[in-house]
Amino acid sequence: MSTITAVRRPSPRTAVLRAEARLFRREAGSLFWTLGFPPLLLVILGSIRSFRKFDEGLGMRVIDVYVPTLVLVALIVTGLQAMPPVITGYRERGILRRMSLTPVRPSALLTAQMGLNGAAGVLSALVCLTIGRLAFDVQLPKQAAGYALAFLLTVTAALALGALISALAPTARLAAGIGMVVFFPSLFSAGLWAPVQSMPHTLREIVVLLPFGAASQALEQAAAGHWPAWSHLGVLTAWAVVLTAAAARWFRWE
Amino acid sequence: MTSTSPIVEVSSLRKAYGGRAVVDDVSFTVDEGEIFGILGPNGAGKTTTVECVEGLRIPDGGRIRIAGLDPVADHAAVTQVLGAQLQESELQAKLTVREALELYAALYPNPADWRPLAERLGLTGKLNTRFGALSGGQKQRLFIALALIGNPRVVVLDELTTGLDPRARRDTWEIVEDVRAGGVTVLLVTHFMEEAQRLCDRIALIDTGRITALDTPQGLISRTAGSTIISFTPSAPLDDADLAALPALASIEDKDGRITLGGSDETVTALLSLLARHRITAHQLRVTDATLDDAFLDLTGATK
């Protein structure tokens, strides 16, 4: 039954990534929440007239503070909401096991999922920055390198947190549930309800120790043209490392 | 087939979960080109045994070789010799049949052409259907295709027809025979006697983690007491003592004048001459072979 394949064949991992990308595009709900919701929320917030006026207490306009927050919302939605049920579902429904019967390790599915969700989060964040700049005249980050570094660390932490939820949840339904439980504190710490700067002192001290709290501060400082404080970058790095290690430690293939 | 060494070798396989032995000293070999059945009740350790063969589980003891390879240590090499359909497994719900075939073909260095494979399995009309929209029988046929797509020498089919309607089950049996005709060795796990009897060259009967018998289906049936069933209604009463004296008699039952005997060919011959001697006619005489069902109950009965 041997066959000669004349066409150049994609590498196995590329084939897995391609198939997952196709499936990713078929999830309309997931696509809306990852790519549509954060920019939409930014447009809604930007449409509030008072948010576009200079705020004495903040030292800038509210919308200026909200752009980094919505960049974080994009990463939180992809990492905590979109990805965990998919990966846990792949384990629950034996898809990872099925793949381990082939010459390709099932980790190819996980890397593909993390890559696709990471890319979707980055894209959504870039759309938010662009809308902020074009529609609401929000300056692009002045300290671009610092912003990029803080951003990449946050992407890593968000994906690692998502992977940890996938690792711990026995079913896709529970993964979605746990994702929800972590989702709201994450949005809060990213400053969605109230900017982190305007939080009471003690609360703020706690929030900046959380991954998305530290991230929101680091992004804001870089946006304003400063190199992000090492304390924030340190907190982010620590979370990224610990969450990745924990996800790797507790992940089960079946 | 020129090769004489078995393609699957399992010796003294042991696997326990939480101190409870699920597979306990299981040994068998499968020759190239054979359909080898592993038959047993639910929870007997059939799936655990084949999962060790597939390299999905690490045995606690014993030795397994697939074409000379260790399923755990040489896992990557084994995946190219052995294809499998898992008992409980799905694909991504929104993946179409064509995409699944293309994807799995891309995972192997020397895959089969998936088009003739899809044709053979009657999937050609379903290529653009998503996995989630397939019927149970179609899903199973797709999993058989995926098991064969790497051009394996052995396929493991685990509870292939469970949950299928009788029609789809029979269609699937034909496919399994077809797979073997294509030169692929089949390791078939089932709890359906009829399926094992119809398809398998040899059967290992597993009960509570141990092999209780290993033989051809006919061999298993004939080694059970009462492998031939004779039933008839005599035209005149027969003497019970005469009946009881029949050779190789295993069971005797008299229900409203209809007598059912379990025995062997010898019993049949002796019964016919007994009837002739007494000039008794046997109305509605039926002589049937016992099925694997009867053999199975007989062979596992001792452990219950």
Side-chain angles (χ1 to χ4, degrees):
Chain A
M1 272 205 307
S2 68
T3 44
I4 299 150
T5 17
V7 234
R8 204 157 52 88
R9 303 187 332 117
S11 86
R13 285 192 172 252
T14 313
V16 172
L17 181 63
R18 247 185 230 171
E20 288 303 307
R22 228 181 244 147
L23 293 168
F24 194 84
R25 288 200 301 271
R26 284 178 195 159
E27 293 301 329
S30 211
L31 279 183
F32 168 74
W33 285 105
T34 52
L35 295 174
F37 173 69
L40 188 68
L41 191 55
L42 178 63
V43 170
I44 292 169
L45 292 170
S47 311
I48 299 170
R49 186 181 299 239
S50 64
F51 283 7
R52 297 201 304 272
K53 293 210 175 104
F54 188 80
D55 184 297
E56 295 288 343
L58 286 172
M60 57 182 101
R61 298 177 306 160
V62 173
I63 192 68
D64 293 324
V65 186
Y66 263 127
V67 169
T69 296
L70 283 156
V71 161
L72 289 177
V73 169
L75 302 184
I76 291 169
V77 170
T78 45
L80 302 190
Q81 273 210 304
M83 190 177 74
V86 175
I87 294 183
T88 306
Y90 281 6
R91 179 182 53 218
E92 188 185 1
R93 286 179 287 137
I95 294 168
L96 298 178
R97 258 162 76 80
R98 182 62 193 80
M99 191 155 282
S100 50
L101 292 173
T102 74
V104 177
R105 309 305 306 151
S107 62
L109 280 170
L110 301 196
T111 359
Q113 273 297 322
M114 292 180 84
L116 287 168
N117 280 289
V122 170
L123 180 63
S124 179
L126 289 177
V127 170
C128 287
L129 282 176
T130 311
I131 291 176
R133 177 73 194 88
L134 297 180
F136 308 117
D137 204 25
V138 177
Q139 294 283 299
L140 288 180
K142 293 195 188 98
Q143 172 45 262
Y147 199 91
L149 176 65
F151 182 73
L152 286 179
L153 284 172
T154 315
V155 171
T156 314
L159 291 177
L161 183 53
L164 179 61
I165 294 170
S166 317
L168 297 178
T171 65
R173 196 177 278 262
L174 265 173
I178 300 173
M180 262 333 220
V181 169
V182 186
F183 183 63
F184 288 106
S186 296
L187 290 182
F188 179 81
S189 68
L192 187 61
W193 278 275
V196 178
Q197 297 94 311
S198 64
M199 289 177 185
H201 181 75
T202 320
L203 182 61
R204 194 176 151 179
E205 294 285 286
I206 296 166
V207 162
V208 296
L209 291 178
L210 298 174
F212 299 109
S216 84
Q217 293 305 283
L219 290 183
E220 240 158 62
Q221 289 167 344
H226 312 291
W227 184 259
W230 288 108
S231 60
H232 299 321
L233 292 179
V235 166
L236 263 178
T237 310
W239 276 107
V241 170
V242 169
L243 290 169
T244 306
R249 165 73 182 76
W250 281 300
F251 194 80
R252 292 279 171 271
W253 296 102
E254 52 185 78
Chain B
M1 290 296 145
T2 46
S3 86
T4 46
S5 71
I7 190 156
V8 177
E9 299 173 68
V10 174
S11 52
S12 310
L13 180 67
R14 281 189 297 107
K15 179 79 192 173
Y17 295 121
R20 197 176 69 86
V22 177
V23 176
D24 190 6
D25 198 25
V26 162
S27 304
F28 61 88
T29 59
V30 182
D31 291 327
E32 193 136 30
E34 224 184 346
I35 299 182
F36 186 90
I38 295 185
L39 179 69
N42 291 327
K46 306 185 297 288
T47 294
T48 307
T49 302
V50 293
E51 281 176 346
C52 291
V53 169
E54 291 157 351
L56 291 177
R57 297 196 187 280
I58 300 170
D60 295 337
R63 189 185 119 108
I64 301 176
R65 290 293 178 273
I66 312 297
L69 299 161
D70 181 327
V72 177
D74 313 315
H75 188 68
V78 165
T79 58
Q80 295 181 38
V81 198
L82 181 138
Q85 164 262 330
L86 297 170
Q87 189 180 348
E88 273 172 10
S89 145
E90 287 180 53
L91 292 177
Q92 294 90 324
K94 291 187 179 173
L95 199 65
T96 68
V97 170
R98 179 200 301 276
E99 287 161 358
L101 291 165
E102 281 176 345
L103 170 63
Y104 276 78
L107 306 183
Y108 290 90
N110 295 302
D113 186 349
W114 62 262
R115 286 167 197 87
L117 195 55
E119 173 99 50
R120 217 168 107 196
L121 291 166
L123 290 167
T124 311
K126 292 284 165 190
L127 289 179
N128 294 321
T129 307
R130 292 178 176 186
F131 179 80
L134 295 176
S135 73
Q138 289 161 350
K139 283 180 182 172
Q140 288 302 44
R141 295 211 299 270
L142 176 57
F143 278 120
I144 299 176
L146 297 185
L148 292 171
I149 212 157
N151 269 327
R153 293 169 64 192
V154 188
V155 282
V156 180
L157 306 173
D158 190 355
E159 299 283 359
L160 188 61
T161 61
T162 302
L164 298 189
D165 61 60
R167 176 66 204 265
R169 184 172 295 159
R170 263 155 230 283
D171 289 348
T172 311
W173 290 348
E174 275 175 31
I175 291 167
V176 175
E177 284 170 335
D178 194 35
V179 166
R180 189 257 295 274
V184 181
T185 308
V186 180
L187 186 55
L188 183 83
V189 174
T190 184
H191 67 265
F192 287 120
M193 310 298 153
E194 198 190 347
E195 180 167 305
Q197 193 169 358
R198 152 96 190 255
L199 292 174
C200 298
D201 300 312
R202 286 189 304 143
I203 296 169
L205 214 67
I206 294 197
D207 195 20
T208 58
R210 290 174 160 273
I211 292 190
T212 50
L214 198 166
D215 207 335
T216 61
Q218 207 48 53
L220 286 177
I221 294 166
S222 62
R223 78 160 73 173
T224 60
S227 61
T228 304
I229 313 278
I230 312 136
S231 58
F232 62 99
T233 311
S235 55
L238 269 163
D239 189 353
D240 279 354
D242 283 343
L243 280 177
L246 287 170
L249 189 74
S251 63
I252 183 162
E253 196 187 297
D254 187 340
K255 203 174 176 190
D256 305 328
R258 185 158 183 86
I259 295 170
T260 305
L261 304 176
S264 69
D265 288 343
E266 227 184 318
T267 322
V268 185
T269 322
L271 174 70
L272 292 178
S273 52
L274 172 74
L275 293 171
R277 271 201 309 277
H278 291 88
R279 295 175 194 282
I280 294 173
T281 315
H283 294 293
Q284 289 168 305
L285 173 68
R286 301 280 183 276
V287 180
T288 54
D289 281 338
T291 61
L292 200 51
D293 260 312
D294 304 311
F296 179 77
L297 289 174
D298 192 49
L299 289 165
T300 56
T303 58
K304 292 234 163 70

